[in-house]
Amino acid sequence: MANNGTRPYDTNTSSQEQDANSALIELDKGLRSQKIGDQCEAVVRFPRLFEKYPFPILVNSALLKLAEVFRAGSNFIRLCILRVTQQAEKHLDKVLNVDDFIRRIFSVIHSNDPIARAITLRTLGSVASIITEKTTVHHSIVVSLDSHDAIEVDAAVYAAQRFAARSKLFSASICDRIAQMIEKVETPMELKLQLIPILQHMHHDAETAAKARTVCLLLLKSYPAKRFVMLTLHTMSKLAIHALLDITQQISLLLNYLENDPRKTVKIMVLKDLQMLACKTPHLWVAENVEVLCRFVLTTPFVSLKEGVLYVLTELSSSISMDLLPFTLKDSALLKVCQEYSYHENVSLAAKTVQLMTHLATHSGSKEQNNMDLRDDVKAAAQTLILLSSMNSSQQSQVALKLSLKCVVKMCSKFPELCIDFVDTMANLLQSNPAHSLSDVHMALVCDSLAAVGSTNSAALEPILPILMDILSAEQGNFIDPSVKARLCTLLFLMAHGENLPENLHNLVMQAAPQGDAWQAYRVVRQAMRYQQYHIAVNLLCSIKNKVASEHFYFWLSGLHDLCLGDSLLTGALNKPHQCDTGTTSISSQSTKNNLSSMIGEALTHYQRGISQLQAATTQNFRLQFQSEYCTLRCELVQLHQHLCQTCSTFQTCPPPAIASAMAVTNSRDISRCGPVISQLLKCQNSYSNLSQKFLDLYQSSFDADPASLANMQLLYTSSELMKAVINTILTGQTRETLTLDKASSFYVKSPHLCPVSRCFAKVLQTIAQNLNQLVSSNNNNKLTHQHIAFLYNSIKQLIQTSIGYPRYFFQTLQTTQVKLAISPQPHNSTDPVLLQQDTQLTLKVEGVVQHGNQPDFYRQVHAVMVNVTSVLRSHSHGSAATLAASGKKIQDVPPVKLSKTLEPQNDYFSSSFLIALPLPGFYNLTIKALLIDTDGLIWKTGPRITMSVKCFDDIMQRQQVMRSMSWTTS
């Protein structure tokens, strides 16, 4: 089934809180157990509880219970609690009773057991983020540094490092003490090595940072041993990056040690620090620093040091320093380095050199400098490195091949004229007896690189078509791994440019497709659907959909099969009856070929069947919400095209009545004489407008989609807007909207995120917009003619026959982002309303957590969360009915209350309160929605959406009713 990151579904918050409370009660029973095993089991389950229910009420209660167990428990239990606090660091700011929590833990610091004190110090260090300025804890850490127990001293050093990173007061007070302990002769050497890294956190103010750097400089002179020098230099580099001071001096100091220190390990550590400084602060480097690096790399005899220098130079060449440094490639030391090592016998060194040359060549190209020699040098070096690294199957050669292929893809995107040479080199590499000379891993890397080049310039792959056909033939195909076969089939799909494959290539793909391996065959199906080769997907799905172990997977594959059948009908992919286990589908009848409306109707039948099977494939873990909505909208778009086709036919079969001309003269609009057609066109225009809004909503709800999938949805949205503009332009003669769409479609043609199939679809949109402008400019009499209707019909036919492929997000996603909300107050029963007196206002507290998958922020990052609260009067009481009747209003006239707040999550947690005034007694529907805002300021309607009921009552009116009933009873 699709590995899709579905949007979070609407959750019942009350049931969640009930589950959280029951889980906490169960763990509390374990903590109160007399068995040490049960206690430990309960403790280690708390991090999982925090991840599942990360709300302050539960986190605060749980940590208070753990603190009480820490105070009265054994050292082993304390050690388990220490691990819990370290794993739950991002939840610590949700502790509401910080003083009670710390008081229970801190009480153990006065124990006579040094092990207990050591565990306490480490626990205090792990929670330093919420007790940064606790002076009593600071004093205990300083006292423990003088302890005679080594374990306690180690724990004090750990706690000191944690507090120094967060507390300005503690770092300023501990700096002199650390320096004194390091200078003392009686301080053990191992302890000195542990104390030095604390100095990297003295960056809260300039004075303390300068003092810490002075201490480190004295240490370099006093302790020239290798371990001290390496640790001190690394500490100074970290301090410079955090304090943003003395960075140029630190670079010069590191370069001095790189040139003058004879120890190789020190040089390796210096190069790592230089790479870190090049990554963090590239704008502070000067040309002299680069000259020193180039001079060193040309003189040192060690290959590992040469690689380290090239890492630094590569980092600089890919940063802003290329614009700031006065680089002159002609006769420069940097160019000498490139010429010296681009053909080195060590493939790793040669690969880093080629990467450096690629950065220089692409940067010089962006400045439009005439540097053809460097571009040719990169091409020759990259081709040589690809051939050399592919001959060896070692891990080093594999890394070098992967890096060189990345450089090739970058050069091809920057210089399209190089694509043919690079593609020919890689294709010949595949053809040279792949069963013996090239491993499967290397073949997969080369195929992926060819696909990357083809995604931007698919025409460059056409000359290697005979080579790919030879590789996929029966003689050589038996020796190829199934995953490589799937990649080779993808290359054929790329070369098709969205057109149907010829019969010989179709047979070759079906012969080479790994049908014995169902998963690899499914991978070919995915690529076929993405690149509009639906006829291949149909045949492969028939062979693999009965090889799954779950009915949900079966319905998923069957749904894809029907969807591909529908798209095949629209694009004319199959030219013969298609047979499958479900029956025979004939799409070759003459009526289907000649009647566009009949073909659309048969395709819609398959679409509806496929959507139904996708809904049947839904499970709790895979809700397939995006897939269902995406297919539904595509189906609605085809239905609208069919409706517009029928409208065009109506203009020819139903001529206007005899009095139409007189009515047109009366209305002063000649176009109104075609009244029935005009009304149908207006309905189609409104339908296209509504559909484009649905596409926009689907786009805004796909926060986790990749850029290519978003571009796919943008094209479908643009197609709906284009048809709406076409109808409006024909009816009114105004071309303003069409010209805007013409610019938008031309932008999509040049978009780097579009695959070749989507780029062809964008070109069709651009062509329709241009033809419409020509049609309107040539016809200025504002009459609806057969020429306009023919243009409409041809435009619809082009859009239908030029189908757009399915996006990658339809099958998989690399990013998963969900928002979980907790609303209070909540009724005891989810079906009951929240009770509120009319003379008070509802205080609504909204808490939420942003949850991420395995690869958070892969495509875009959550910057803020917008919470919208809306209250609508659903039904009123008798008293409010009289009030409304007296004012002459109805229940529909009561405006809804809308409130909104934008919150920035802290450690993925956000919280806010709303004060909502309910003007009249009655029942209100309260809707709470969460929207995500990314770092670019775009709003994404991801949800969730929670609805709750509120009953607002008037206590005085209720008492009056009770008094009336009592008086009636007594009388």
Side-chain angles (χ1 to χ4, degrees):
M1 190 178 292
N3 180 17
N4 179 57
T6 55
R7 286 170 288 161
Y9 47 85
D10 295 343
T11 56
N12 190 344
T13 310
S14 60
S15 62
Q16 279 193 353
E17 291 182 352
Q18 185 179 0
D19 294 341
N21 292 332
S22 61
L24 185 59
I25 291 173
E26 182 181 355
L27 293 181
D28 186 40
K29 292 180 181 178
L31 293 178
R32 297 177 183 274
S33 175
Q34 299 299 322
K35 298 180 180 180
I36 188 68
D38 294 341
Q39 292 183 359
C40 295
E41 182 183 359
V43 169
V44 299
R45 289 170 61 187
F46 272 93
R48 172 59 182 158
L49 182 67
F50 294 157
E51 293 297 329
K52 192 175 183 180
Y53 308 104
F55 298 109
I57 268 188
L58 185 137
V59 173
N60 182 70
S61 301
L63 288 179
L64 286 178
K65 293 178 183 297
L66 290 177
E68 182 63 29
V69 175
F70 187 93
R71 182 184 63 83
S74 62
N75 286 340
F76 183 72
I77 291 294
R78 290 169 182 157
L79 187 61
C80 295
I81 295 175
L82 169 61
R83 296 290 181 259
V84 171
T85 56
Q86 291 175 341
Q87 295 177 21
E89 184 177 359
K90 70 176 184 179
H91 301 292
L92 293 176
D93 56 348
K94 302 169 189 175
V95 178
L96 306 177
N97 306 94
V98 178
D99 293 335
D100 294 340
F101 174 67
I102 295 304
R103 184 171 58 251
R104 299 175 187 181
I105 293 178
F106 190 73
S107 61
V108 188
I109 201 69
H110 305 294
S111 172
N112 293 327
D113 184 5
I115 303 298
R117 295 198 301 268
I119 297 175
T120 304
L121 287 172
R122 289 187 176 273
T123 305
L124 293 173
S126 64
V127 299
S129 58
I130 59 175
I131 55 170
T132 53
E133 305 302 333
K134 289 285 184 181
T135 55
T136 54
V137 179
H138 298 174
H139 176 71
S140 300
I141 295 172
V142 175
V143 170
S144 298
L145 287 174
D146 296 329
S147 175
H148 297 287
D149 188 83
I151 297 178
E152 185 177 358
V153 174
D154 290 344
V157 171
Y158 170 79
Q161 190 168 1
R162 297 278 298 182
F163 275 90
R166 291 167 175 80
S167 174
K168 178 181 178 180
L169 176 64
F170 181 79
S171 62
S173 62
I174 201 67
C175 185
D176 294 332
R177 182 59 181 273
I178 296 294
Q180 293 175 4
M181 293 183 65
I182 294 175
E183 292 174 357
K184 286 182 179 180
V185 180
E186 58 270 18
T187 304
M189 300 301 293
E190 293 296 330
L191 180 58
K192 292 182 179 181
L193 292 173
Q194 293 178 4
L195 292 173
I196 291 175
I198 301 178
L199 297 175
Q200 67 180 323
H201 302 296
M202 310 297 173
H203 53 76
H204 299 282
D205 58 85
E207 182 180 357
T208 307
K211 187 186 300 183
R213 182 174 177 83
T214 303
V215 172
C216 291
L217 289 174
L218 293 175
L219 286 174
L220 289 176
K221 296 179 181 180
S222 305
Y223 299 94
K226 180 177 65 176
R227 295 177 62 188
F228 274 93
V229 171
M230 294 173 60
L231 189 59
T232 305
L233 288 176
H234 183 67
T235 301
M236 295 175 69
S237 300
K238 288 280 191 179
L239 178 64
I241 288 177
H242 290 114
L244 300 178
L245 298 173
D246 304 317
I247 292 179
T248 55
Q249 291 85 344
Q250 181 63 20
I251 294 174
S252 300
L253 178 64
L254 291 173
L255 291 174
N256 184 27
Y257 270 89
L258 180 65
E259 285 189 310
N260 301 323
D261 198 295
R263 293 166 290 194
K264 182 180 177 181
T265 52
V266 175
K267 294 178 184 291
I268 292 176
M269 190 279 309
V270 166
L271 289 173
K272 291 180 179 179
D273 283 356
L274 286 173
Q275 183 183 0
M276 178 178 62
L277 291 170
C279 179
K280 299 292 185 181
T281 58
H283 56 286
L284 297 178
W285 285 64
V286 295
E288 289 78 8
N289 302 143
V290 180
E291 292 292 333
V292 171
L293 287 173
C294 295
R295 185 169 61 248
F296 174 79
V297 74
L298 291 171
T299 56
T300 181
F302 300 104
V303 176
S304 59
L305 296 180
K306 296 178 186 291
E307 288 186 32
V309 174
L310 285 172
Y311 272 105
V312 180
L313 294 175
T314 304
E315 195 69 47
L316 286 174
S317 63
S318 61
S319 63
I320 195 176
S321 63
M322 289 293 295
D323 298 319
L324 301 178
L325 295 179
F327 277 132
T328 55
L329 295 178
K330 186 176 181 181
D331 299 331
S332 66
L334 198 59
L335 187 60
K336 291 180 182 178
V337 172
C338 297
Q339 294 174 349
E340 183 74 19
Y341 301 112
S342 58
Y343 297 96
H344 199 271
E345 59 182 4
N346 186 287
V347 291
S348 298
L349 181 59
K352 293 304 297 182
T353 308
V354 170
Q355 186 181 16
L356 175 61
M357 296 172 66
T358 302
H359 290 168
L360 295 176
T362 53
H363 183 268
S364 62
S366 63
K367 284 189 174 182
E368 298 182 358
Q369 299 177 358
N370 295 324
N371 205 338
M372 304 297 293
D373 294 338
L374 180 60
R375 191 194 68 176
D376 295 337
D377 291 343
V378 175
K379 183 184 75 170
Q383 289 176 333
T384 304
L385 180 60
I386 290 173
L387 294 175
L388 290 176
S389 57
S390 62
M391 295 179 182
N392 194 343
S393 59
S394 63
Q395 183 68 24
Q396 184 182 18
S397 299
Q398 181 179 338
V399 173
L401 178 62
K402 187 174 183 179
L403 185 58
S404 59
L405 290 174
K406 285 183 179 180
C407 296
V408 165
V409 173
K410 188 172 184 179
M411 290 292 293
C412 289
S413 62
K414 189 67 179 180
F415 305 105
E417 62 272 13
L418 300 179
C419 291
I420 297 178
D421 295 334
F422 282 127
V423 167
D424 184 65
T425 301
M426 291 185 285
N428 291 329
L429 195 65
L430 291 175
Q431 192 183 25
S432 57
N433 196 4
H436 303 288
S437 64
L438 203 63
S439 65
D440 293 333
V441 177
H442 289 175
M443 287 191 69
L445 290 175
V446 174
C447 291
D448 290 340
S449 302
L450 287 172
V453 174
S455 62
T456 57
N457 188 5
S458 57
L461 299 179
E462 294 179 358
I464 66 170
L465 178 60
I467 298 178
L468 297 181
M469 294 177 64
D470 291 339
I471 297 174
L472 287 174
S473 62
E475 291 78 9
Q476 298 187 24
N478 297 329
F479 301 99
I480 302 177
D481 187 74
S483 62
V484 177
K485 285 185 179 181
R487 290 173 167 86
L488 293 173
C489 293
T490 303
L491 295 177
L492 294 179
F493 300 157
L494 278 170
M495 285 185 283
H497 304 285
E499 300 291 335
N500 299 328
L501 286 178
E503 186 175 359
N504 59 334
L505 292 181
H506 175 271
N507 297 332
L508 181 63
V509 170
M510 294 306 302
Q511 178 184 356
Q515 300 185 16
D517 189 344
W519 170 247
Q520 298 300 335
Y522 174 70
R523 293 181 62 184
V524 177
V525 168
R526 290 192 310 186
Q527 299 302 323
M529 293 182 66
R530 290 184 62 189
Y531 298 116
Q532 200 179 329
Q533 303 300 323
Y534 304 114
H535 54 303
I536 295 178
V538 167
N539 295 328
L540 289 177
L541 285 170
C542 279
S543 63
I544 67 173
K545 68 179 181 178
N546 293 323
K547 298 180 180 180
V548 293
S550 170
E551 65 175 2
H552 300 290
F553 294 159
Y554 173 79
F555 284 124
W556 164 253
L557 296 179
S558 299
L560 296 183
H561 177 263
D562 279 305
L563 293 174
C564 292
L565 271 178
D567 287 310
S568 299
L569 282 166
L570 296 178
T571 58
L574 297 179
N575 55 7
K576 58 183 178 180
H578 170 69
Q579 296 181 355
C580 194
D581 57 349
T582 57
T584 302
T585 302
S586 177
I587 63 172
S588 61
S589 61
Q590 191 66 25
S591 61
T592 304
K593 289 184 177 180
N594 297 331
N595 193 338
L596 181 63
S597 180
S598 175
M599 180 182 64
I600 295 176
E602 191 173 351
L604 288 175
T605 303
H606 291 288
Y607 273 145
Q608 296 292 350
R609 188 184 303 167
I611 294 171
S612 300
Q613 294 188 78
L614 288 185
Q615 294 174 352
T618 301
T619 62
Q620 186 175 1
N621 295 328
F622 299 97
R623 302 194 67 234
L624 303 181
Q625 188 170 353
F626 171 81
Q627 289 84 347
S628 299
E629 292 183 7
Y630 180 81
C631 294
T632 301
L633 293 183
R634 284 182 64 138
C635 181
E636 290 183 10
L637 183 61
V638 176
Q639 284 178 333
L640 279 180
H641 291 338
Q642 183 188 33
H643 188 194
L644 193 53
C645 283
Q646 294 172 351
T647 302
C648 294
S649 301
T650 302
F651 182 79
Q652 299 175 350
T653 58
C654 299
I659 61 174
S661 301
M663 294 175 60
V665 173
T666 305
N667 298 332
S668 300
R669 292 187 63 191
D670 186 73
I671 199 173
S672 63
R673 65 185 181 87
C674 307
V677 178
I678 297 301
S679 61
Q680 293 181 23
L681 288 176
L682 289 176
K683 290 180 180 179
C684 292
Q685 182 181 359
N686 294 332
S687 300
Y688 278 116
S689 178
N690 296 333
L691 184 60
S692 63
Q693 183 61 40
K694 292 180 181 179
F695 275 118
L696 183 60
D697 293 339
L698 181 63
Y699 178 95
Q700 292 179 339
S701 63
S702 305
F703 179 81
D704 297 321
D706 56 285
S709 299
L710 293 179
N712 182 290
M713 287 181 275
Q714 282 179 330
L715 283 177
L716 291 174
Y717 166 79
T718 305
S719 65
S720 299
E721 286 289 310
L722 176 62
M723 294 311 301
K724 183 185 74 172
V726 165
I727 297 174
N728 181 69
T729 303
I730 289 177
L731 295 179
T732 62
Q734 298 177 1
T735 61
R736 183 179 304 172
E737 294 184 5
T738 312
L739 291 174
T740 305
L741 285 166
D742 189 8
K743 295 180 181 179
S745 58
S746 64
F747 167 75
Y748 290 130
V749 171
K750 302 176 183 179
S751 176
H753 301 302
L754 291 181
C755 65
V757 175
S758 300
R759 200 171 286 114
C760 294
F761 188 80
K763 290 181 180 178
V764 170
L765 298 181
Q766 187 180 17
T767 303
I768 293 175
Q770 293 174 353
N771 293 339
L772 178 63
N773 293 332
Q774 296 176 1
L775 177 65
V776 174
S777 60
S778 62
N779 188 4
N780 298 322
N781 54 8
N782 197 20
K783 290 183 178 180
L784 184 62
T785 63
H786 290 278
Q787 187 178 6
H788 294 100
I789 299 301
F791 172 77
L792 273 178
Y793 186 83
N794 292 330
S795 299
I796 298 167
K797 188 176 180 180
Q798 283 183 332
L799 288 177
I800 291 176
Q801 294 180 348
T802 313
S803 174
I804 189 170
Y806 287 79
R808 179 180 183 178
Y809 190 56
F810 188 86
F811 302 101
Q812 63 176 170
T813 179
L814 300 179
Q815 172 181 316
T816 304
T817 308
Q818 294 184 355
V819 179
K820 182 184 291 187
L821 294 181
I823 311 297
S824 59
Q826 280 286 337
H828 296 290
N829 192 353
S830 59
T831 59
D832 296 337
V834 176
L835 301 180
L836 179 72
Q837 293 187 5
Q838 186 189 6
D839 55 352
T840 60
Q841 292 182 337
L842 177 63
T843 303
L844 186 71
K845 184 175 182 181
V846 180
E847 299 174 287
V849 178
V850 181
Q851 297 179 329
H852 305 280
N854 296 329
Q855 294 178 307
D857 308 331
F858 190 82
Y859 295 121
R860 55 196 60 86
Q861 184 179 0
V862 178
H863 174 68
V865 179
M866 180 184 294
V867 180
N868 294 336
V869 180
T870 306
S871 66
V872 179
L873 180 61
R874 184 182 64 189
S875 61
H876 53 75
S877 62
H878 296 289
S880 58
T883 305
L884 289 174
S887 59
K889 296 182 178 179
K890 299 180 180 180
I891 188 173
Q892 294 82 5
D893 299 331
V894 179
V897 178
K898 297 182 179 181
L899 301 175
S900 179
K901 284 186 179 181
T902 301
L903 311 171
E904 293 188 8
Q906 301 294 330
N907 290 329
D908 295 331
Y909 171 78
F910 59 92
S911 174
S912 182
S913 297
F914 296 86
L915 200 61
I916 304 173
L918 304 179
L920 297 173
F923 285 90
Y924 289 82
N925 281 340
L926 209 62
T927 304
I928 302 98
K929 294 189 296 184
L931 293 80
L932 295 181
I933 302 177
D934 62 9
T935 52
D936 296 330
L938 300 178
I939 299 177
W940 301 84
K941 301 177 182 179
T942 59
R945 175 174 178 170
I946 298 176
T947 303
M948 58 185 298
S949 180
V950 179
K951 180 182 179 181
C952 181
F953 62 92
D954 190 349
D955 196 15
I956 299 178
M957 296 179 62
Q958 285 188 354
R959 280 182 289 177
Q960 289 178 355
Q961 292 178 1
V962 171
M963 292 297 294
R964 290 172 185 171
S965 62
M966 291 177 61
S967 62
W968 176 262
T969 305
T970 54
S971 63

